[in-house]
Amino acid sequence: MRDLVARAYETLDGWLALGHETRATPLAWFVRARATPQVYDANFAARVRAETAAEIEVVLAELDRVFEGLDHRQVWWDRDMPQPFEARLVLDGWRLQSDLVVQVLEGRLARHGAAVEIRPAESDADWRAIEELQWLEHQEEVTRGFHPAWEREITRQLVAAKRAKAPGVRYFLARVDGCDGAFFSSWPGENGVGQVEDLFTRSELRGRGIATALLAACVDDARARGAGPVLIAARVDDTPKEMYASLGFRPLCVRRSYLRLCA
C-alpha cells in the first residue's frame, strides 16, 4: 500500500507538470509554464525535502527566483514533505488550499453509463468547445463559492495549459443532443498508475449517465496505454467523490497545496 501511495503522488505531480518546464534539485521540484503564468497548477513547486533551517531558506529563495514576476507561489504537499518545512509555510502565512481526496480504481467500474458519442479532442474547434465548457464550469464554481470571480483570460490560459499536455494526456468530448456537453481526460502515468481528471458536464445534461460514460471511456484509454490502478481526485466539500465511490473508486490519500499571493 505504501508503494501505491508513493506512486500515486508521482502521478499526481506528473500530470500537473506535463507540457511545462521542469527542474529538479535535491531539495525540491519546480514546474514553470511561461505561456500561462496565471495558472497556479502550471507554476508550482512539489516534492520538497528541505528539513534544516538552511535548506528551507534555500528552497524559499529558489521559489522567489524561479517564479519571479508571478502573482503567486504554490507548493504541493506530499507525505514525505518534512514537517519543519510545512511549519515554516504556516508560520509565514501561506494559505492551505486544494483540499482533495484521491480515490483509486484497481478493478472494473461498477457501471459504464449511457451510450453517447465520445471523441478525442484533436482540432482547434474541439478545444474551443472545451474552453466554452470550462468557462461554464468556472462560472458555476463562482456561484457555489469555490472561487472568486474568474476573468475569461484565466480560463483561456487554463485550457491552453491542458492542451500543452498532449499527447500524453488525452481529452475527450461527449456530444449530446447535437452539442458538446461534457469533457474529461486520461493519462496512463509513467509508473503504472494512471489518472483521469477534469470531469465536467453541462448542468442541464446531468443525471443521464454522460459523466459515467466519459469516466469509463477515459479509464479504458488509460489502461489501454499501460495503466493498472487509475486515480481520480475530488473536492472534499463536494459530491462527486460519492459518485466515484459508487463506481468502485476507493479512498487512497489526500492532496493539498499551500499558496502565497504576492503583493
Tab-separated table of all heavy atoms in Angstrom, residues 78-139:
chain	number	residue	atom	x	y	z
A	78	ASP	N	3.163	16.583	-0.033
A	78	ASP	CA	3.055	15.126	-0.126
A	78	ASP	C	3.488	14.538	1.202
A	78	ASP	O	3.978	15.259	2.078
A	78	ASP	CB	3.874	14.562	-1.302
A	78	ASP	CG	5.373	14.704	-1.095
A	78	ASP	OD1	5.946	13.891	-0.346
A	78	ASP	OD2	5.971	15.648	-1.657
A	79	ARG	N	3.319	13.243	1.368
A	79	ARG	CA	3.525	12.634	2.684
A	79	ARG	C	4.978	12.699	3.145
A	79	ARG	O	5.274	12.547	4.342
A	79	ARG	CB	3.083	11.166	2.650
A	79	ARG	CG	3.935	10.313	1.729
A	79	ARG	CD	3.577	8.858	1.763
A	79	ARG	NE	4.589	8.074	1.069
A	79	ARG	CZ	4.605	6.749	1.022
A	79	ARG	NH1	3.663	6.062	1.619
A	79	ARG	NH2	5.562	6.127	0.380
A	80	ASP	N	5.929	12.933	2.208
A	80	ASP	CA	7.341	12.979	2.574
A	80	ASP	C	7.864	14.403	2.742
A	80	ASP	O	9.064	14.587	2.958
A	80	ASP	CB	8.183	12.243	1.520
A	80	ASP	CG	7.890	10.744	1.503
A	80	ASP	OD1	7.726	10.175	2.599
A	80	ASP	OD2	7.824	10.160	0.404
A	81	MET	N	6.987	15.406	2.646
A	81	MET	CA	7.432	16.769	2.922
A	81	MET	C	7.830	16.873	4.396
A	81	MET	O	7.039	16.536	5.278
A	81	MET	CB	6.331	17.782	2.612
A	81	MET	CG	6.713	19.224	2.998
A	81	MET	SD	5.348	20.411	2.801
A	81	MET	CE	5.378	20.623	1.017
A	82	PRO	N	9.042	17.320	4.702
A	82	PRO	CA	9.447	17.434	6.114
A	82	PRO	C	8.539	18.395	6.879
A	82	PRO	O	8.195	19.474	6.384
A	82	PRO	CB	10.882	17.976	6.028
A	82	PRO	CG	11.368	17.520	4.686
A	82	PRO	CD	10.169	17.616	3.790
A	83	GLN	N	8.185	18.026	8.083
A	83	GLN	CA	7.299	18.869	8.872
A	83	GLN	C	7.887	20.250	9.165
A	83	GLN	O	7.137	21.239	9.210
A	83	GLN	CB	6.909	18.146	10.159
A	83	GLN	CG	5.992	16.966	9.910
A	83	GLN	CD	5.385	16.426	11.181
A	83	GLN	OE1	5.404	17.060	12.237
A	83	GLN	NE2	4.826	15.234	11.077
A	84	PRO	N	9.209	20.385	9.374
A	84	PRO	CA	9.731	21.741	9.597
A	84	PRO	C	9.472	22.677	8.409
A	84	PRO	O	9.234	23.875	8.616
A	84	PRO	CB	11.226	21.514	9.822
A	84	PRO	CG	11.306	20.137	10.392
A	84	PRO	CD	10.247	19.357	9.657
A	85	PHE	N	9.503	22.143	7.189
A	85	PHE	CA	9.215	22.999	6.036
A	85	PHE	C	7.748	23.410	6.026
A	85	PHE	O	7.413	24.575	5.818
A	85	PHE	CB	9.572	22.295	4.725
A	85	PHE	CG	9.363	23.172	3.520
A	85	PHE	CD1	10.336	24.082	3.142
A	85	PHE	CD2	8.185	23.112	2.780
A	85	PHE	CE1	10.142	24.924	2.035
A	85	PHE	CE2	7.981	23.947	1.689
A	85	PHE	CZ	8.961	24.855	1.320
A	86	GLU	N	6.865	22.448	6.260
A	86	GLU	CA	5.436	22.771	6.286
A	86	GLU	C	5.143	23.771	7.400
A	86	GLU	O	4.364	24.722	7.215
A	86	GLU	CB	4.610	21.500	6.480
A	86	GLU	CG	3.115	21.730	6.393
A	86	GLU	CD	2.315	20.445	6.459
A	86	GLU	OE1	2.886	19.394	6.814
A	86	GLU	OE2	1.102	20.494	6.162
A	87	ALA	N	5.774	23.577	8.569
A	87	ALA	CA	5.556	24.512	9.684
A	87	ALA	C	6.029	25.917	9.329
A	87	ALA	O	5.400	26.913	9.716
A	87	ALA	CB	6.281	24.004	10.925
A	88	ARG	N	7.106	26.012	8.551
A	88	ARG	CA	7.602	27.332	8.138
A	88	ARG	C	6.582	28.013	7.220
A	88	ARG	O	6.331	29.224	7.345
A	88	ARG	CB	8.948	27.187	7.439
A	88	ARG	CG	9.484	28.487	6.842
A	88	ARG	CD	9.771	29.563	7.906
A	88	ARG	NE	10.232	30.795	7.253
A	88	ARG	CZ	11.508	31.035	6.951
A	88	ARG	NH1	12.457	30.131	7.262
A	88	ARG	NH2	11.846	32.150	6.355
A	89	LEU	N	5.983	27.260	6.309
A	89	LEU	CA	4.960	27.844	5.445
A	89	LEU	C	3.794	28.384	6.268
A	89	LEU	O	3.300	29.491	6.020
A	89	LEU	CB	4.448	26.805	4.445
A	89	LEU	CG	5.454	26.261	3.423
A	89	LEU	CD1	4.755	25.290	2.477
A	89	LEU	CD2	6.141	27.382	2.643
A	90	VAL	N	3.380	27.605	7.256
A	90	VAL	CA	2.273	28.045	8.113
A	90	VAL	C	2.658	29.305	8.880
A	90	VAL	O	1.886	30.274	8.968
A	90	VAL	CB	1.856	26.914	9.074
A	90	VAL	CG1	0.826	27.422	10.079
A	90	VAL	CG2	1.306	25.723	8.288
A	91	LEU	N	3.860	29.320	9.437
A	91	LEU	CA	4.325	30.483	10.196
A	91	LEU	C	4.372	31.724	9.323
A	91	LEU	O	4.025	32.835	9.761
A	91	LEU	CB	5.711	30.203	10.783
A	91	LEU	CG	6.349	31.340	11.588
A	91	LEU	CD1	5.564	31.608	12.866
A	91	LEU	CD2	7.799	31.019	11.901
A	92	ASP	N	4.772	31.551	8.071
A	92	ASP	CA	4.918	32.692	7.160
A	92	ASP	C	3.603	33.125	6.522
A	92	ASP	O	3.593	34.032	5.688
A	92	ASP	CB	5.920	32.357	6.050
A	92	ASP	CG	7.358	32.332	6.563
A	92	ASP	OD1	7.581	32.683	7.742
A	92	ASP	OD2	8.264	31.966	5.776
A	93	GLY	N	2.500	32.465	6.883
A	93	GLY	CA	1.198	32.902	6.411
A	93	GLY	C	0.741	32.314	5.097
A	93	GLY	O	-0.215	32.813	4.488
A	94	TRP	N	1.401	31.251	4.642
A	94	TRP	CA	0.919	30.576	3.444
A	94	TRP	C	-0.450	29.961	3.735
A	94	TRP	O	-0.690	29.460	4.836
A	94	TRP	CB	1.887	29.485	3.004
A	94	TRP	CG	3.187	29.980	2.448
A	94	TRP	CD1	4.101	30.772	3.080
A	94	TRP	CD2	3.728	29.703	1.149
A	94	TRP	NE1	5.179	31.001	2.268
A	94	TRP	CE2	4.981	30.357	1.082
A	94	TRP	CE3	3.293	28.954	0.065
A	94	TRP	CZ2	5.789	30.280	-0.050
A	94	TRP	CZ3	4.082	28.875	-1.063
A	94	TRP	CH2	5.318	29.545	-1.121
A	95	ARG	N	-1.343	29.983	2.759
A	95	ARG	CA	-2.713	29.509	2.946
A	95	ARG	C	-2.862	28.074	2.456
A	95	ARG	O	-2.498	27.748	1.338
A	95	ARG	CB	-3.690	30.420	2.186
A	95	ARG	CG	-5.148	30.098	2.462
A	95	ARG	CD	-6.062	31.147	1.857
A	95	ARG	NE	-6.169	31.018	0.410
A	95	ARG	CZ	-5.817	31.952	-0.463
A	95	ARG	NH1	-5.288	33.087	-0.043
A	95	ARG	NH2	-5.973	31.768	-1.759
A	96	LEU	N	-3.404	27.229	3.319
A	96	LEU	CA	-3.686	25.849	2.932
A	96	LEU	C	-4.889	25.829	2.006
A	96	LEU	O	-5.929	26.424	2.295
A	96	LEU	CB	-3.966	25.003	4.173
A	96	LEU	CG	-4.268	23.519	3.952
A	96	LEU	CD1	-3.067	22.808	3.343
A	96	LEU	CD2	-4.670	22.864	5.259
A	97	GLN	N	-4.761	25.142	0.873
A	97	GLN	CA	-5.884	25.078	-0.065
A	97	GLN	C	-5.823	23.773	-0.846
A	97	GLN	O	-5.022	22.891	-0.562
A	97	GLN	CB	-5.867	26.266	-1.010
A	97	GLN	CG	-4.693	26.296	-1.984
A	97	GLN	CD	-4.960	27.263	-3.112
A	97	GLN	OE1	-5.692	28.221	-2.943
A	97	GLN	NE2	-4.385	27.020	-4.268
A	98	SER	N	-6.718	23.654	-1.840
A	98	SER	CA	-6.787	22.477	-2.696
A	98	SER	C	-6.907	21.198	-1.883
A	98	SER	O	-6.163	20.240	-2.067
A	98	SER	CB	-5.559	22.404	-3.621
A	98	SER	OG	-5.497	23.512	-4.456
A	99	ASP	N	-7.852	21.177	-0.954
A	99	ASP	CA	-8.054	20.009	-0.114
A	99	ASP	C	-8.861	18.977	-0.901
A	99	ASP	O	-10.066	19.134	-1.105
A	99	ASP	CB	-8.803	20.427	1.160
A	99	ASP	CG	-8.476	19.523	2.329
A	99	ASP	OD1	-7.600	18.656	2.174
A	99	ASP	OD2	-9.100	19.683	3.391
A	100	LEU	N	-8.175	17.927	-1.359
A	100	LEU	CA	-8.787	16.930	-2.228
A	100	LEU	C	-8.640	15.544	-1.621
A	100	LEU	O	-7.676	15.256	-0.909
A	100	LEU	CB	-8.116	16.927	-3.610
A	100	LEU	CG	-8.022	18.258	-4.355
A	100	LEU	CD1	-7.159	18.093	-5.602
A	100	LEU	CD2	-9.410	18.753	-4.739
A	101	VAL	N	-9.599	14.669	-1.915
A	101	VAL	CA	-9.443	13.263	-1.610
A	101	VAL	C	-9.127	12.554	-2.929
A	101	VAL	O	-9.785	12.778	-3.949
A	101	VAL	CB	-10.713	12.663	-0.948
A	101	VAL	CG1	-11.952	12.842	-1.812
A	101	VAL	CG2	-10.497	11.183	-0.620
A	102	VAL	N	-8.103	11.731	-2.907
A	102	VAL	CA	-7.686	10.982	-4.090
A	102	VAL	C	-8.198	9.555	-3.945
A	102	VAL	O	-7.944	8.887	-2.934
A	102	VAL	CB	-6.156	10.996	-4.251
A	102	VAL	CG1	-5.737	10.190	-5.474
A	102	VAL	CG2	-5.652	12.426	-4.348
A	103	GLN	N	-8.928	9.104	-4.956
A	103	GLN	CA	-9.508	7.768	-4.947
A	103	GLN	C	-8.882	6.945	-6.071
A	103	GLN	O	-8.427	7.495	-7.081
A	103	GLN	CB	-11.032	7.864	-5.124
A	103	GLN	CG	-11.716	8.582	-3.962
A	103	GLN	CD	-13.119	9.063	-4.302
A	103	GLN	OE1	-13.297	10.217	-4.679
A	103	GLN	NE2	-14.118	8.200	-4.160
A	104	VAL	N	-8.846	5.637	-5.892
A	104	VAL	CA	-8.191	4.766	-6.860
A	104	VAL	C	-9.132	3.641	-7.270
A	104	VAL	O	-9.859	3.081	-6.443
A	104	VAL	CB	-6.869	4.201	-6.289
A	104	VAL	CG1	-7.111	3.322	-5.049
A	104	VAL	CG2	-6.105	3.426	-7.359
A	105	LEU	N	-9.093	3.320	-8.540
A	105	LEU	CA	-9.834	2.182	-9.094
A	105	LEU	C	-8.824	1.128	-9.495
A	105	LEU	O	-7.977	1.354	-10.361
A	105	LEU	CB	-10.644	2.623	-10.321
A	105	LEU	CG	-11.497	1.526	-10.984
A	105	LEU	CD1	-12.710	1.194	-10.114
A	105	LEU	CD2	-11.935	1.956	-12.381
A	106	GLU	N	-8.918	-0.037	-8.857
A	106	GLU	CA	-7.988	-1.125	-9.181
A	106	GLU	C	-8.664	-2.241	-9.980
A	106	GLU	O	-7.978	-3.020	-10.640
A	106	GLU	CB	-7.379	-1.684	-7.897
A	106	GLU	CG	-6.508	-0.649	-7.182
A	106	GLU	CD	-5.865	-1.184	-5.928
A	106	GLU	OE1	-6.535	-1.142	-4.872
A	106	GLU	OE2	-4.723	-1.658	-6.004
A	107	GLY	N	-9.980	-2.310	-9.916
A	107	GLY	CA	-10.699	-3.312	-10.695
A	107	GLY	C	-11.488	-2.664	-11.809
A	107	GLY	O	-11.056	-1.696	-12.432
A	108	ARG	N	-12.677	-3.174	-12.054
A	108	ARG	CA	-13.536	-2.650	-13.102
A	108	ARG	C	-14.541	-1.660	-12.523
A	108	ARG	O	-14.892	-1.728	-11.343
A	108	ARG	CB	-14.281	-3.810	-13.791
A	108	ARG	CG	-13.360	-4.814	-14.476
A	108	ARG	CD	-14.162	-5.981	-15.042
A	108	ARG	NE	-15.114	-5.549	-16.060
A	108	ARG	CZ	-14.802	-5.388	-17.337
A	108	ARG	NH1	-13.559	-5.617	-17.754
A	108	ARG	NH2	-15.704	-5.003	-18.206
A	109	LEU	N	-14.997	-0.751	-13.360
A	109	LEU	CA	-16.069	0.147	-12.943
A	109	LEU	C	-17.344	-0.640	-12.666
A	109	LEU	O	-17.634	-1.640	-13.332
A	109	LEU	CB	-16.357	1.178	-14.025
A	109	LEU	CG	-15.434	2.391	-14.147
A	109	LEU	CD1	-15.894	3.246	-15.318
A	109	LEU	CD2	-15.405	3.201	-12.870
A	110	ALA	N	-18.128	-0.147	-11.720
A	110	ALA	CA	-19.379	-0.821	-11.384
A	110	ALA	C	-20.405	-0.705	-12.511
A	110	ALA	O	-21.277	-1.560	-12.656
A	110	ALA	CB	-19.944	-0.248	-10.090
A	111	ARG	N	-20.337	0.368	-13.305
A	111	ARG	CA	-21.234	0.533	-14.453
A	111	ARG	C	-20.567	1.457	-15.459
A	111	ARG	O	-19.572	2.111	-15.154
A	111	ARG	CB	-22.597	1.087	-14.020
A	111	ARG	CG	-22.567	2.410	-13.286
A	111	ARG	CD	-23.954	2.820	-12.804
A	111	ARG	NE	-23.957	4.128	-12.182
A	111	ARG	CZ	-23.638	4.357	-10.911
A	111	ARG	NH1	-23.305	3.342	-10.128
A	111	ARG	NH2	-23.653	5.584	-10.413
A	112	HIS	N	-21.141	1.516	-16.665
A	112	HIS	CA	-20.469	2.228	-17.751
A	112	HIS	C	-21.254	3.398	-18.313
A	112	HIS	O	-20.798	4.058	-19.239
A	112	HIS	CB	-20.101	1.248	-18.871
A	112	HIS	CG	-18.894	0.428	-18.545
A	112	HIS	ND1	-18.939	-0.612	-17.648
A	112	HIS	CD2	-17.595	0.521	-18.962
A	112	HIS	CE1	-17.727	-1.143	-17.529
A	112	HIS	NE2	-16.902	-0.474	-18.315
A	113	GLY	N	-22.419	3.709	-17.806
A	113	GLY	CA	-23.121	4.915	-18.208
A	113	GLY	C	-23.882	4.797	-19.502
A	113	GLY	O	-24.070	3.703	-20.055
A	114	ALA	N	-24.305	5.938	-20.011
A	114	ALA	CA	-25.162	5.984	-21.193
A	114	ALA	C	-24.363	5.736	-22.467
A	114	ALA	O	-23.135	5.862	-22.495
A	114	ALA	CB	-25.841	7.351	-21.270
A	115	ALA	N	-25.082	5.392	-23.520
A	115	ALA	CA	-24.473	5.251	-24.844
A	115	ALA	C	-24.475	6.628	-25.497
A	115	ALA	O	-25.507	7.108	-25.973
A	115	ALA	CB	-25.254	4.253	-25.688
A	116	VAL	N	-23.332	7.308	-25.490
A	116	VAL	CA	-23.216	8.643	-26.070
A	116	VAL	C	-22.004	8.686	-26.992
A	116	VAL	O	-21.093	7.850	-26.892
A	116	VAL	CB	-23.080	9.732	-24.978
A	116	VAL	CG1	-24.332	9.793	-24.115
A	116	VAL	CG2	-21.861	9.478	-24.103
A	117	GLU	N	-21.995	9.651	-27.865
A	117	GLU	CA	-20.870	9.836	-28.786
A	117	GLU	C	-19.716	10.483	-28.045
A	117	GLU	O	-19.833	11.601	-27.531
A	117	GLU	CB	-21.297	10.717	-29.971
A	117	GLU	CG	-20.166	11.015	-30.937
A	117	GLU	CD	-20.516	12.083	-31.951
A	117	GLU	OE1	-21.728	12.362	-32.129
A	117	GLU	OE2	-19.580	12.659	-32.541
A	118	ILE	N	-18.588	9.785	-27.983
A	118	ILE	CA	-17.396	10.292	-27.297
A	118	ILE	C	-16.251	10.294	-28.300
A	118	ILE	O	-16.010	9.305	-28.985
A	118	ILE	CB	-17.046	9.429	-26.072
A	118	ILE	CG1	-18.157	9.529	-25.017
A	118	ILE	CG2	-15.705	9.855	-25.477
A	118	ILE	CD1	-17.976	8.597	-23.837
A	119	ARG	N	-15.537	11.408	-28.382
A	119	ARG	CA	-14.424	11.505	-29.328
A	119	ARG	C	-13.248	12.224	-28.671
A	119	ARG	O	-13.451	13.055	-27.764
A	119	ARG	CB	-14.849	12.267	-30.583
A	119	ARG	CG	-15.061	13.757	-30.383
A	119	ARG	CD	-15.528	14.462	-31.652
A	119	ARG	NE	-15.486	15.915	-31.537
A	119	ARG	CZ	-16.397	16.640	-30.897
A	119	ARG	NH1	-17.425	16.055	-30.310
A	119	ARG	NH2	-16.272	17.961	-30.846
A	120	PRO	N	-12.030	11.935	-29.108
A	120	PRO	CA	-10.880	12.672	-28.576
A	120	PRO	C	-10.865	14.102	-29.095
A	120	PRO	O	-11.275	14.369	-30.236
A	120	PRO	CB	-9.674	11.881	-29.105
A	120	PRO	CG	-10.184	11.161	-30.302
A	120	PRO	CD	-11.633	10.866	-30.046
A	121	ALA	N	-10.410	15.031	-28.270
A	121	ALA	CA	-10.265	16.431	-28.679
A	121	ALA	C	-8.984	16.551	-29.487
A	121	ALA	O	-7.884	16.336	-28.967
A	121	ALA	CB	-10.230	17.342	-27.462
A	122	GLU	N	-9.117	16.883	-30.761
A	122	GLU	CA	-7.965	16.953	-31.653
A	122	GLU	C	-7.862	18.273	-32.405
A	122	GLU	O	-6.769	18.786	-32.622
A	122	GLU	CB	-8.018	15.797	-32.658
A	122	GLU	CG	-7.920	14.420	-31.992
A	122	GLU	CD	-8.140	13.274	-32.963
A	122	GLU	OE1	-8.792	13.516	-34.010
A	122	GLU	OE2	-7.651	12.166	-32.684
A	123	SER	N	-8.980	18.836	-32.815
A	123	SER	CA	-8.960	20.029	-33.655
A	123	SER	C	-9.044	21.295	-32.809
A	123	SER	O	-9.370	21.265	-31.607
A	123	SER	CB	-10.135	19.994	-34.630
A	123	SER	OG	-11.361	20.133	-33.929
A	124	ASP	N	-8.768	22.437	-33.446
A	124	ASP	CA	-8.946	23.722	-32.766
A	124	ASP	C	-10.397	23.899	-32.335
A	124	ASP	O	-10.672	24.451	-31.257
A	124	ASP	CB	-8.537	24.864	-33.699
A	124	ASP	CG	-7.034	24.926	-33.932
A	124	ASP	OD1	-6.275	24.301	-33.159
A	124	ASP	OD2	-6.619	25.606	-34.894
A	125	ALA	N	-11.330	23.433	-33.170
A	125	ALA	CA	-12.756	23.547	-32.816
A	125	ALA	C	-13.080	22.740	-31.566
A	125	ALA	O	-13.865	23.177	-30.715
A	125	ALA	CB	-13.626	23.078	-33.985
A	126	ASP	N	-12.479	21.552	-31.449
A	126	ASP	CA	-12.679	20.740	-30.245
A	126	ASP	C	-12.202	21.494	-29.009
A	126	ASP	O	-12.876	21.504	-27.967
A	126	ASP	CB	-11.926	19.413	-30.360
A	126	ASP	CG	-12.506	18.483	-31.407
A	126	ASP	OD1	-13.701	18.610	-31.735
A	126	ASP	OD2	-11.741	17.615	-31.892
A	127	TRP	N	-11.050	22.140	-29.119
A	127	TRP	CA	-10.508	22.838	-27.960
A	127	TRP	C	-11.284	24.113	-27.655
A	127	TRP	O	-11.375	24.518	-26.496
A	127	TRP	CB	-9.008	23.097	-28.139
A	127	TRP	CG	-8.240	21.846	-27.846
A	127	TRP	CD1	-7.777	20.927	-28.756
A	127	TRP	CD2	-7.917	21.340	-26.554
A	127	TRP	NE1	-7.172	19.883	-28.099
A	127	TRP	CE2	-7.234	20.112	-26.758
A	127	TRP	CE3	-8.111	21.797	-25.264
A	127	TRP	CZ2	-6.780	19.342	-25.677
A	127	TRP	CZ3	-7.645	21.044	-24.197
A	127	TRP	CH2	-6.986	19.830	-24.413
A	128	ARG	N	-11.866	24.717	-28.669
A	128	ARG	CA	-12.766	25.852	-28.390
A	128	ARG	C	-13.997	25.376	-27.627
A	128	ARG	O	-14.494	26.068	-26.727
A	128	ARG	CB	-13.170	26.539	-29.692
A	128	ARG	CG	-12.068	27.399	-30.305
A	128	ARG	CD	-12.615	28.326	-31.377
A	128	ARG	NE	-13.118	27.598	-32.531
A	128	ARG	CZ	-12.385	27.252	-33.580
A	128	ARG	NH1	-11.100	27.555	-33.628
A	128	ARG	NH2	-12.930	26.612	-34.601
A	129	ALA	N	-14.480	24.178	-27.971
A	129	ALA	CA	-15.623	23.622	-27.242
A	129	ALA	C	-15.255	23.355	-25.787
A	129	ALA	O	-16.053	23.621	-24.875
A	129	ALA	CB	-16.100	22.334	-27.923
A	130	ILE	N	-14.052	22.849	-25.553
A	130	ILE	CA	-13.604	22.613	-24.177
A	130	ILE	C	-13.492	23.937	-23.423
A	130	ILE	O	-13.886	24.030	-22.252
A	130	ILE	CB	-12.271	21.843	-24.169
A	130	ILE	CG1	-12.500	20.386	-24.591
A	130	ILE	CG2	-11.612	21.902	-22.790
A	130	ILE	CD1	-11.239	19.568	-24.717
A	131	GLU	N	-12.987	24.969	-24.094
A	131	GLU	CA	-12.881	26.262	-23.414
A	131	GLU	C	-14.254	26.790	-23.024
A	131	GLU	O	-14.423	27.349	-21.923
A	131	GLU	CB	-12.169	27.284	-24.294
A	131	GLU	CG	-11.969	28.619	-23.581
A	131	GLU	CD	-11.168	29.621	-24.385
A	131	GLU	OE1	-10.260	29.200	-25.133
A	131	GLU	OE2	-11.448	30.829	-24.251
A	132	GLU	N	-15.257	26.634	-23.886
A	132	GLU	CA	-16.600	27.088	-23.551
A	132	GLU	C	-17.157	26.319	-22.354
A	132	GLU	O	-17.779	26.891	-21.451
A	132	GLU	CB	-17.532	26.947	-24.755
A	132	GLU	CG	-17.258	27.934	-25.870
A	132	GLU	CD	-17.325	29.380	-25.412
A	132	GLU	OE1	-18.257	29.729	-24.651
A	132	GLU	OE2	-16.430	30.163	-25.790
A	133	LEU	N	-16.932	25.009	-22.332
A	133	LEU	CA	-17.390	24.201	-21.200
A	133	LEU	C	-16.630	24.575	-19.925
A	133	LEU	O	-17.216	24.647	-18.834
A	133	LEU	CB	-17.222	22.715	-21.513
A	133	LEU	CG	-18.163	22.153	-22.583
A	133	LEU	CD1	-17.694	20.778	-23.046
A	133	LEU	CD2	-19.595	22.069	-22.048
A	134	GLN	N	-15.328	24.816	-20.062
A	134	GLN	CA	-14.533	25.213	-18.896
A	134	GLN	C	-15.023	26.550	-18.340
A	134	GLN	O	-15.067	26.752	-17.123
A	134	GLN	CB	-13.065	25.327	-19.294
A	134	GLN	CG	-12.121	25.602	-18.139
A	134	GLN	CD	-11.790	24.355	-17.368
A	134	GLN	OE1	-10.900	23.611	-17.752
A	134	GLN	NE2	-12.480	24.119	-16.262
A	135	TRP	N	-15.396	27.477	-19.224
A	135	TRP	CA	-15.925	28.767	-18.785
A	135	TRP	C	-17.232	28.585	-18.012
A	135	TRP	O	-17.449	29.220	-16.972
A	135	TRP	CB	-16.122	29.671	-19.989
A	135	TRP	CG	-16.729	31.010	-19.694
A	135	TRP	CD1	-17.891	31.510	-20.207
A	135	TRP	CD2	-16.222	32.034	-18.831
A	135	TRP	NE1	-18.140	32.770	-19.728
A	135	TRP	CE2	-17.128	33.120	-18.879
A	135	TRP	CE3	-15.087	32.147	-18.032
A	135	TRP	CZ2	-16.930	34.294	-18.152
A	135	TRP	CZ3	-14.904	33.321	-17.297
A	135	TRP	CH2	-15.806	34.371	-17.361
A	136	LEU	N	-18.085	27.685	-18.493
A	136	LEU	CA	-19.318	27.384	-17.758
A	136	LEU	C	-18.992	26.821	-16.380
A	136	LEU	O	-19.627	27.178	-15.386
A	136	LEU	CB	-20.166	26.386	-18.540
A	136	LEU	CG	-20.884	26.893	-19.784
A	136	LEU	CD1	-21.617	25.736	-20.462
A	136	LEU	CD2	-21.871	28.006	-19.440
A	137	GLU	N	-18.008	25.922	-16.327
A	137	GLU	CA	-17.624	25.342	-15.042
A	137	GLU	C	-17.108	26.423	-14.096
A	137	GLU	O	-17.460	26.442	-12.909
A	137	GLU	CB	-16.564	24.264	-15.232
A	137	GLU	CG	-16.143	23.607	-13.925
A	137	GLU	CD	-15.109	22.518	-14.115
A	137	GLU	OE1	-14.468	22.463	-15.176
A	137	GLU	OE2	-14.935	21.721	-13.175
A	138	HIS	N	-16.298	27.325	-14.590
A	138	HIS	CA	-15.756	28.376	-13.731
A	138	HIS	C	-16.851	29.290	-13.202
A	138	HIS	O	-16.835	29.680	-12.027
A	138	HIS	CB	-14.706	29.179	-14.497
A	138	HIS	CG	-13.457	28.419	-14.745
A	138	HIS	ND1	-12.503	28.796	-15.649
A	138	HIS	CD2	-12.996	27.251	-14.195
A	138	HIS	CE1	-11.517	27.929	-15.640
A	138	HIS	NE2	-11.787	26.985	-14.775
A	139	GLN	N	-17.813	29.626	-14.037
A	139	GLN	CA	-18.930	30.451	-13.578
A	139	GLN	C	-19.724	29.721	-12.494
A	139	GLN	O	-20.167	30.319	-11.517
A	139	GLN	CB	-19.826	30.808	-14.759
A	139	GLN	CG	-19.176	31.764	-15.752
A	139	GLN	CD	-20.046	31.998	-16.974
A	139	GLN	OE1	-20.379	31.082	-17.715
A	139	GLN	NE2	-20.431	33.237	-17.174
